[in-house]
Amino acid sequence: MITSTSKNVECLIIGSGFGGLCQAIKLKKANMENFLIVEKASSLGGTWRDNTYPGAACDIPSSLYSHSWEVSQTTWSCDYSGQSDILQYIQRVADKYDINRHIRFNQTVHCIKYREEEFVWDVLTQDGTLYKSRFVVTAVGQLHHPKIPIFRGVEKFQGSMVHTAKFGSRQLRDYIDKNVAVIGSGASAVQLIPELQKIGEIVLLGAINGTHWAKALLMAQCFDKMKQNIQDESLQKELTPTYPIGAKRILFSDDFYPALAKKNVHLITKGIKEIDTKKIFIVDSSQVEVDDIVYATGFVTNPFLFGMKVIGRGDKELWKDDQESHAHLGVNTHGFPNLFFLYGPNTNVGHTSILLFLEEQADFVIRSICHLNKKGYQVIEVKKRTEDAFTNEVKDRSEALPFTKVKESWYLSSRGRNTNNWVGSFREYKSRLENLNLSEDFVVDGEKVSEENSVEESLAKSIFLNTFKQQSFVACAIGLALFLSVKYPDH
C-alpha cells in the first residue's frame, strides 16, 4: 500500500555499501545529480556496517580494497584492514563526495515494477513510500541475508543465539568464561574463533571447509603450516579437505590453526542431531554442554535480490520461470529495461578485489545512460540471444572449474549450476564489459526524448520555456501599458 507521495528521480540506487557508493560517485563525476540511494538500514556501509563480530576483517589487501581514485589519498592502519577501519573509510568517502544528502535511510525495498507505458520503474518500500525512476541500479551485494539452519529442539535453548552478521553491540566480554558453540566453519568462523578462544571454552561444529591444494608446492606449504601449529594427527586429518582448491572459498589466516590447537577449543565435524536447553546432541550420540550459540553459517545467496519482488515487461517476475539467477556479464537481464545489477550473478571473485568489478559495472551504467540519451530513446535492454549465449558460456566454462565439484556451496543454485562466481580473470571481464557493442547486443526503445541529456532535463526545459513565454507576455503587457500612459496621459 502506498502511504507516501511518489518521488521522481532519474536514477535510483538500492543499497549504500561499496557498490551503491561507487555508482553514486560515478554519477556525480558524470554530472548526473538527479539520483537517490535507498538504504534499508539507518546508516550506510553495507556488509561492513552489519558484520561487527570480533575479528571481522577483509582478506584482500587494503590497497586493492579501495576505490581506484582514492588509493593515493588513503592511508590504512594495516595491510589487511578490520571492519571498523573499512567502515570509517566508507563514511569518509561518502562525506568527501557529498553522498549522504542523496541517501534515504530506513527504506527497505519490497517491490520493483516496470511501467511500460511510462518507461519508468515503480520502486515501493515496506513503509509504503513510492519512488519513480527511469533507471534502477541494485547494489545490495550477495552476502547480507543471514542463513540460519533449523535444528530440532532449538526453541528450547536457554542461552543466547546470534548470527555473526547480527552481532550488533555484543562484545567479547559477554562470552568470558562461557562455553560457546560456533556452528559453521567458513570465513566468519575462521576470523571469530581465534578471538573467542582468548576468553572462553569453544566448541566448533561443522565440517572444516578449508583448501585442498591441488599443486604439490602449495599442498606442501599448506600442510607444513598446519603441522607447525597442530601436532595431533587426528585433528590434522579432520582439517584436511577432500575437494579441489577453489571449490569453496579459499581462506587465509595466521591465527586459525594456532587457535584450534588450544586446549579450550574442540572441533566436532559430525552433524548436529538436536539442541536442548543447554546441550547440543551430535549424530554420533555424543553431546556437549554450551551456554551460548554463535551461527557462522553464511548467507542466503540464491536467489539474488532475496526478499525483493521485481516485475519487468509483460508482468514477468525476475528469474521466477528459470528458478536460477542469470544476467549478461552480471549486469543486465532480458525483459527488464534500464535495470542494472552491481555484484550481480556470476561476478563474485575469490582471487582479487570485488571493488575492481564494481567500478567497471558502475562505468557501464554511465555508458549505457549516455548511449541512450545520445540516441534519444527512453530505455535500453540486453537482447535475449546475447544473454542466453553468455549464460551457456558460463555454464560450459564452469564445468572445468572447481565451483561445481561440491554439492553444498553458496556458489551454486539449487540445481547445482554456478550462479555466483566469475569464470575468468578480471582483465577478461573488464575487456568484455568495456567492448560491449551497445548497438548490436542491446536494443533501445521508447519515444525519442526531445533533449539528449535526460527526460528530467527535457521536462525542465519545457517548464522553463513555458514560464519564459508567460513572463514575456506579462512583460509585453506592462510595457504596452507604460507606453500608452506616457503617450496618452489623459487616459
Side-chain angles (χ1 to χ4, degrees), residues 14 98 118 131 134 137 142 156 166 199 246 257 326 389:
I14 304 174
D98 192 25
E118 302 174 39
Y131 298 86
R134 183 181 173 203
V137 180
Q142 295 187 12
K156 302 175 186 176
K166 298 293 184 180
I199 48 88
Y257 283 155
H326 53 81

Side-chain angles (χ1 to χ4, degrees), residues 288-392:
V288 291
E289 291 192 10
V290 296
D291 298 306
D292 299 302
I293 295 175
V294 177
Y295 289 101
T297 46
F299 301 86
V300 177
T301 58
N302 278 292
F304 279 70
L305 305 185
F306 178 78
M308 198 182 301
K309 191 172 185 178
V310 182
I311 309 295
R313 285 193 297 102
D315 289 331
K316 179 182 179 182
E317 186 171 346
L318 183 65
W319 300 318
K320 183 177 181 180
D321 295 338
D322 305 305
Q323 298 181 349
E324 287 182 333
S325 305
H326 53 81
H328 183 242
L329 288 170
V331 182
N332 302 102
T333 190
H334 178 72
F336 297 81
N338 288 6
L339 177 65
F340 301 88
F341 312 116
L342 301 190
Y343 198 10
N346 293 114
T347 61
N348 180 65
V349 288
H351 58 278
T352 189
S353 173
I354 188 61
L355 268 65
L356 298 175
F357 285 72
L358 291 176
E359 289 187 18
E360 295 302 321
Q361 292 159 4
D363 282 337
F364 175 74
V365 173
I366 301 297
R367 194 159 64 251
S368 298
I369 294 174
C370 292
H371 174 77
L372 248 192
N373 294 331
K374 182 178 180 180
K375 293 289 185 181
Y377 286 92
Q378 298 277 21
V379 296
I380 189 169
E381 179 183 348
V382 66
K383 292 180 179 179
K384 188 176 186 302
R385 61 171 176 78
T386 301
E387 183 182 3
D388 287 347
F390 175 77
T391 301
N392 291 331

Side-chain angles (χ1 to χ4, degrees), residues 18 58 60-76 79 81 86 89 92-93 353-356 359:
F18 265 116
C58 184
I60 296 294
S62 300
S63 57
L64 270 179
Y65 208 70
S66 309
H67 295 297
S68 61
W69 59 86
E70 290 290 320
V71 171
S72 62
Q73 305 174 48
T74 304
T75 301
W76 294 94
D79 291 336
S81 296
I86 297 173
Y89 169 84
R92 286 198 307 272
V93 172
S353 173
I354 188 61
L355 268 65
L356 298 175
E359 289 187 18

